[in-house]
């Protein structure tokens, strides 16, 4: 969410009515999330000026660890230098820390492609935005899910119940520090996640949703102490419930 919102912001800056705008003091502390969207808190160090040049050798974009040769335009300006400066700063301050984590395994190669392409400045802001929107579409639609055996049949479902909240086993990347709370596309995906975790004996699909509209599921090591909850469904492994009365 943070990276996509940042890319949308940089897309606007690259195509603003004032021309391409560079954020000269590009630091995480200069941004804040407002209603799920990333905002710049300080525009004092923004600039529409692009480096003037006489030849291509005048257009080197330098960073502490990398340098990029750019083209000198017929107008005597280094082409796209503001856009590329913003994009590489997004890569080194945000993408490298956020993109490798949290995504479903099937989507990680696509995010790695974005990471590598922006780190080498092979992508401009237009290509980067399209790549992010493709990943978002796959994530929201569930098209990233690979065909696999149907596992939900191995669970008993109880509508209108959930287990008593409390500290349980933890997983990554959980929305709760007290247990294993993950977003899912469907109960079938939740069953696959539960089967992949040795501690998991049950999971609860709630009505709470993430910014992409995906429901949250709580994965637990037991299924005892059920309490009524009209907005939840608890799924219990048949092997865990065998010999017990529901």
């Amino acid at each position: 969410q943070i990276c996509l919102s940042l890319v949308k912001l940089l897309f606007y800056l690259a195509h603003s009515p004032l021309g391409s705008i560079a954020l000269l003091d590009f630091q995480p502390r200069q941004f804040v999330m407002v209603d799920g969207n990333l905002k710049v808190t300080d525009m004092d160090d923004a600039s529409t000026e692009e480096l003037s040049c006489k030849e291509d050798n005048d257009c080197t974009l330098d960073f502490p660890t990398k340098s990029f040769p750019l083209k000198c335009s017929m107008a005597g300006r280094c082409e796209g230098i503001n856009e590329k400066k913003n994009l590489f700063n997004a890569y080194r301050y945000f993408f490298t820390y956020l993109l490798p984590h949290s995504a479903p395994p099937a989507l990680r190669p696509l995010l790695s492609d974005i990471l590598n392409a922006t780190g080498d400045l092979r992508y401009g802001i237009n290509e980067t935005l399209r790549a992010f929107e493709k990943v978002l579409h796959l994530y929201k639609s569930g098209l990233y899910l690979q065909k696999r055996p149907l596992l939900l049949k191995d669970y008993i479902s109880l509508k209108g119940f959930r287990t008593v909240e409390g500290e349980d086993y933890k997983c990554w990347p959980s929305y709760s520090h007290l247990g294993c709370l993950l977003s899912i596309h469907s109960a079938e995906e939740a069953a696959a996640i539960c089967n992949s975790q040795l501690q998991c004996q049950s999971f609860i699909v709630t009505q709470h949703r993430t910014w992409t509209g995906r429901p949250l599921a709580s994965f637990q090591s037991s299924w005892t102490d059920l309490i009524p909850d009209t907005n939840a469904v608890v799924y219990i492994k048949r092997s865990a419930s065998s010999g017990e009365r529901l």
Side-chain angles (χ1 to χ4, degrees), residues 107 135-146 184-186 189 214:
L107 292 178
V135 174
L136 179 63
H137 172 68
L138 294 173
Y139 185 61
K140 292 175 67 174
S141 65
L143 291 174
Y144 68 91
L145 294 170
Q146 300 170 346
I184 57 169
H185 177 258
S186 64
E189 183 183 16
R214 289 162 55 98

Side-chain angles (χ1 to χ4, degrees), residues 178-205:
L178 296 177
C180 185
L181 185 66
L182 304 174
S183 75
I184 57 169
H185 177 258
S186 64
E188 186 64 54
E189 183 183 16
I193 293 173
C194 189
N195 276 25
S196 70
Q197 298 174 345
L198 293 177
Q199 306 99 314
C200 187
Q201 296 297 315
S202 66
F203 62 88
I204 303 161
V205 178

